[in-house]
Amino acid sequence: MSLFGSNNYEKAGSGVAKNAPKKKPFFAFFELYFRKFWKLLYLNFLTFLFCIPIVTIGPALAGMTKVLRNYVLEKNSFIFHDFWKGFSQNWKKSLPVGLLDILFAVSAMAAIKVYPEMANNAESGGAFYIVLCAISLSFALVVLMMNFYIMPMIVATDLNFTSIVKNSFYLACIALKKNIITLLIVVLISLTIYVLVFLHITFITLIPIWPISFLGFVIMFNSYPQIQKYVIDPYYEDRGEVNPEYGSFSDDDEVLFTDKGGEEAAIESDKSKRKKNKTIS
């Protein structure tokens, strides 16, 4: 069964077959990334635009996550349509997540700056402030790794907020190796952008067109398979069903034609019902 919660999952859709031959992650990542390169630039600009009112950062990231999930599952995606769908359908859960992330980020930066200064100025007991700084930094890193899973689960499942947070914490621990790799990439790209902007202010123009969607793509590529493995797949296994994400049609497609050569039958007067991929909602 899934880690926490028994809620159904929303529109799992279809994507790459579960047993299909898999390429090395490194090559698969760059092949998919460069195939979607120009679309990701547009997605970055769209996300940046919707993040300008700071309070909408959460829903904007939910919209971006919706599109990136489609890309990772190799499903067709209409960028603005799917972005707006992810934004409008998930704003209730993603709005507080975005605001809490801002609060945690500000708190972590303040701790990193204030505690070392307090340790230097303290006549005695400076080590105590260093310990507080280390605890604050560790907590911030755990929250950051949890964020690799929170937004994808908001977009992909119908789990309640408490279950999403619990699952995210456990996935941050269970998939620690993968999370550390993702974390290093996120830190490296963020520091690179910071250094470039510090060297020359014109590099700030990169932010509206590139790093947001790139980092989101890295996170989704590394994290979503863990969500499938530990949360979504067990749900279907408990029901004796196959996760419909491992299919060949998108969640809005209908099977209109099937090749049944040699099995033709006389046309019946009644219209046959169209068969849709199973979705969970």
Side-chain angles (χ1 to χ4, degrees):
M1 59 185 295
S2 60
L3 295 180
F4 285 96
S6 58
N7 302 53
N8 290 340
Y9 295 87
E10 180 263 349
K11 293 199 267 302
S14 58
V16 181
K18 184 176 183 179
N19 298 321
K22 295 182 179 180
K23 299 179 181 178
K24 297 282 187 181
F26 180 83
F27 298 106
F29 172 84
F30 282 104
E31 178 184 326
L32 184 58
Y33 176 74
F34 285 115
R35 198 193 317 155
K36 303 292 186 181
F37 179 76
W38 296 108
K39 292 181 179 180
L40 287 169
L41 296 187
Y42 171 48
L43 178 62
N44 191 103
F45 178 75
L46 193 60
T47 305
F48 177 80
L49 198 63
F50 276 76
C51 282
I52 291 176
I54 296 178
V55 293
T56 61
I57 286 179
L61 293 178
M64 181 183 72
T65 300
K66 175 77 174 179
V67 178
L68 293 176
R69 173 175 172 264
N70 288 342
Y71 288 166
V72 168
L73 292 175
E74 299 199 41
K75 295 168 53 181
N76 293 327
S77 181
F78 297 96
I79 297 178
F80 185 81
H81 171 78
D82 289 331
F83 177 90
W84 180 250
K85 193 174 182 181
F87 184 101
S88 59
Q89 290 183 349
N90 301 289
W91 70 269
K92 288 183 180 180
K93 291 181 182 177
S94 59
L95 182 64
V97 169
L99 297 176
L100 286 173
D101 281 343
I102 295 172
L103 178 62
F104 282 130
V106 172
S107 300
M109 288 187 290
I112 293 171
K113 180 177 176 57
V114 172
Y115 284 136
E117 291 181 357
M118 293 177 70
N120 291 331
N121 296 330
E123 296 180 0
S124 61
F128 174 73
Y129 295 108
I130 297 299
V131 171
L132 288 179
C133 182
I135 293 174
S136 299
L137 183 59
S138 300
F139 182 71
L141 291 176
V142 171
V143 171
L144 179 56
M145 288 190 291
M146 288 174 62
N147 268 273
F148 297 162
Y149 300 98
I150 289 176
M151 204 61 72
M153 278 195 283
I154 287 176
V155 170
T157 75
D158 279 340
L159 290 171
N160 59 52
F161 189 78
T162 302
S163 296
I164 287 173
V165 172
K166 289 180 179 178
N167 282 344
S168 298
F169 176 75
Y170 276 86
L171 287 170
C173 299
I174 292 171
L176 186 60
K177 181 179 177 180
K178 183 77 70 174
N179 295 332
I180 290 175
I181 294 173
T182 305
L183 181 64
L184 290 175
I185 295 173
V186 169
V187 172
L188 178 62
I189 296 300
S190 300
L191 286 177
T192 300
I193 295 296
Y194 176 81
V195 170
L196 289 174
V197 173
F198 180 79
L199 292 175
H200 202 288
I201 193 63
T202 55
F203 282 109
I204 202 171
T205 57
L206 284 174
I207 297 175
I209 61 173
W210 179 67
I212 304 173
S213 63
F214 177 77
L215 292 177
F217 184 77
V218 170
I219 292 170
M220 183 63 65
F221 187 87
N222 284 339
S223 300
Y224 197 71
Q226 311 306 317
I227 295 174
Q228 288 180 310
K229 180 179 179 180
Y230 293 107
V231 179
I232 300 179
D233 288 348
Y235 169 84
Y236 282 101
E237 289 170 3
D238 284 349
R239 295 166 61 93
E241 301 175 3
V242 177
N243 180 356
E245 287 177 333
Y246 306 123
S248 56
F249 297 93
S250 67
D251 52 5
D252 293 324
D253 287 338
E254 294 181 334
V255 180
L256 300 180
F257 301 98
T258 303
D259 183 6
K260 292 188 177 180
E263 299 180 10
E264 294 87 348
I267 299 176
E268 299 177 357
S269 58
D270 294 332
K271 293 183 179 179
S272 60
K273 295 182 179 180
R274 294 177 178 177
K275 181 181 179 181
K276 288 188 176 181
N277 278 332
K278 183 176 180 63
T279 60
I280 326 166
S281 57

